[in-house]
Amino acid sequence: MNGKMNFFLDPKNRVAQKPSIMNYKQEEKGLYLLADKKFINWMDVHTFCHTCMDPLTFDNEFDASYCASCNEWREERCSDISCEYCENRPARPLDPRK
């Protein structure tokens, strides 16, 4: 050092501020998954297909989510034999319905 010490009480008044290595916007903070040239927020990963990384679709009739690209259910049938949702659910979500 050049024998001189500077004390700054207000960081806004600093003459020479170093650029931050954390130059992101507040809403961009967090963990992301990069898949197929898309950034997926870590909190939203469960809404994407684990095979093809396309967004999942929810079927209100059968109360389950599925991947339209893979044509597969992403939720298992429940163990209740008399469940009104799982009882008539087709093997594949895009199959013709009864």
Side-chain angles (χ1 to χ4, degrees):
M1 298 202 359
N2 57 6
K4 202 164 64 161
M5 294 180 67
N6 295 323
F7 293 96
F8 298 103
L9 299 178
D10 186 4
K12 293 179 183 174
N13 293 335
R14 292 184 184 191
V15 176
Q17 290 185 350
K18 293 182 180 177
S20 173
I21 60 170
M22 307 299 266
N23 58 355
Y24 49 78
K25 296 178 183 159
Q26 186 68 23
E27 63 270 4
E28 293 175 351
K29 281 186 180 180
L31 294 173
Y32 292 88
L33 173 68
L34 178 61
D36 197 23
K37 298 181 182 177
K38 313 184 259 199
F39 284 98
I40 302 171
N41 189 324
W42 189 251
M43 298 303 289
D44 298 330
V45 168
H46 68 280
T47 63
F48 287 82
C49 176
H50 62 272
T51 305
C52 66
M53 295 311 296
D54 281 348
L56 296 177
T57 307
F58 188 78
D59 191 327
N60 288 325
E61 184 179 352
F62 300 111
D63 194 33
S65 57
Y66 66 92
C67 176
S69 299
C70 299
N71 194 18
E72 293 179 352
W73 295 105
R74 290 295 171 229
E75 295 180 25
E76 298 291 325
R77 292 179 188 240
C78 66
S79 58
D80 186 9
I81 298 170
S82 62
C83 175
E84 62 181 297
Y85 297 110
C86 300
E87 186 176 23
N88 297 322
R89 190 166 97 173
R92 297 199 170 263
L94 301 177
D95 288 349
R97 299 183 180 193
K98 298 175 184 177

